[in-house]
Amino acid sequence: MGICHGSLPQTTKPLRRELKEKLQSPIIVFMIGGPGCGKAVQSSRMAVKYNFYHIAIGELLREESSRATNKGKAIRDILLKGTLVPSGFIVELLTDNMLKAENVSGFIIEGFPREINQAKLFEEVVGRLPNIVIVFDCSTETMIQRLLIRGQMGGRVDDHERIIRQRLETHYSLCEPVLTHYLQKSILRNILGDEPPDIVFSRCCSVVDDVIKAAASTAQLFSSTKK
């Protein structure tokens, strides 16, 4: 296991077979996009609508960064620089939270993956792809303005223009290989994030409805072949 940024792992091992099996059946939806694209609002709404388990990577990291530990300090320093927390730590954090969920039909995973190593490591660790990846296409100016407004309302410590621009630069430099990866797997869906929230939500729901129907058809086919 590689170590980076103090005690934060850069990689991690695959889950044990029984843990992998627990994560094979639920629908998994990744929600990605730049900071301020609207994925947090839409992820929360979809989790309620479909009764899916919502995991927001950013919130988990901010919670970890608030702890008075060496790990918390390391994460806090990374967030304030607008750069990325090592992949191994992110994937461990994500899978630990997924495994805590009991009897869920699906997961809405917000803010993951942010770079290609996270995407590939998740597949190695969990042993599967997500069902669908929704990416919000949103203009840089829209994202900056949304985050500055949130910052004025006392939103978050990283909602300052210098950090925002660094976060956006990091996002744009790392997102293209992620999009290409999921496009090649035929599971990438683009949604315009500049549009009114209700329209964005409707389009997100249309994507997830299709995923649920496809999963139900597959389950029915599998059940029929077993008889």
Side-chain angles (χ1 to χ4, degrees):
M1 181 179 291
I3 301 296
C4 184
H5 294 289
S7 59
L8 305 181
Q10 183 63 42
T11 188
T12 189
K13 297 177 181 178
L15 295 173
R16 298 193 309 273
R17 184 169 61 181
E18 65 271 21
L19 297 180
K20 279 187 178 181
E21 288 175 354
K22 184 178 178 181
L23 298 179
Q24 298 311 299
S25 296
I27 290 170
I28 298 178
V29 180
F30 287 169
M31 305 281 286
I32 62 176
C37 69
K39 60 184 179 291
V41 171
Q42 301 301 337
S43 295
S44 296
R45 290 183 68 178
M46 283 201 296
V48 171
K49 176 179 173 64
Y50 295 102
N51 195 28
F52 283 3
Y53 193 83
H54 179 203
I55 298 176
I57 296 297
E59 288 184 12
L60 293 178
L61 287 175
R62 286 187 288 277
E63 182 180 321
E64 289 288 332
S65 74
S66 68
R67 303 184 193 280
T69 61
N70 289 336
K71 186 182 292 184
K73 182 181 183 303
I75 295 170
R76 189 160 57 251
D77 290 344
I78 293 169
L79 294 181
L80 287 173
K81 290 176 184 175
T83 52
L84 292 186
V85 174
S87 299
F89 181 79
I90 293 290
V91 173
E92 284 185 2
L93 189 65
L94 172 56
T95 53
D96 284 351
N97 277 270
M98 292 177 76
L99 290 167
K100 288 177 186 176
E102 296 292 338
N103 302 316
V104 298
S105 58
F107 293 94
I108 299 288
I109 312 295
E110 173 201 332
F112 179 90
R114 291 191 62 195
E115 48 96 9
I116 191 63
N117 289 333
Q118 292 179 6
K120 291 183 176 180
L121 188 57
F122 177 87
E123 291 163 31
E124 292 172 13
V125 170
V126 179
R128 60 165 292 188
L129 285 161
N131 294 76
I132 207 76
V133 179
I134 295 176
V135 56
F136 291 96
D137 293 325
C138 199
S139 70
T140 300
E141 195 55 40
T142 295
M143 289 189 284
I144 290 174
Q145 290 306 312
R146 286 176 178 174
L147 294 176
L148 288 175
I149 291 170
R150 188 173 69 183
Q152 291 168 2
M153 297 169 65
R156 285 170 21 191
V157 295
D158 54 353
D159 283 339
H160 297 284
E161 188 160 358
R162 178 186 62 80
I163 301 174
I164 289 169
R165 291 191 179 278
Q166 178 58 54
R167 289 164 63 198
L168 284 168
E169 184 178 330
T170 299
H171 167 70
Y172 286 125
S173 66
L174 295 174
C175 73
E176 202 58 43
V178 175
L179 302 184
T180 299
H181 178 67
Y182 289 131
L183 185 63
Q184 291 172 345
K185 304 289 185 183
S186 301
I187 56 172
L188 186 71
R189 301 293 182 271
N190 294 69
I191 291 178
L192 288 176
D194 294 275
E195 295 189 300
D198 285 345
I199 292 177
V200 175
F201 180 63
S202 176
R203 291 182 175 165
C204 288
C205 290
S206 178
V207 170
V208 175
D209 286 343
D210 287 344
V211 169
I212 292 172
K213 289 175 185 175
S217 296
T218 301
Q220 185 176 15
L221 180 63
F222 180 73
S223 177
S224 298
T225 57
K226 288 183 67 178
K227 293 178 180 179

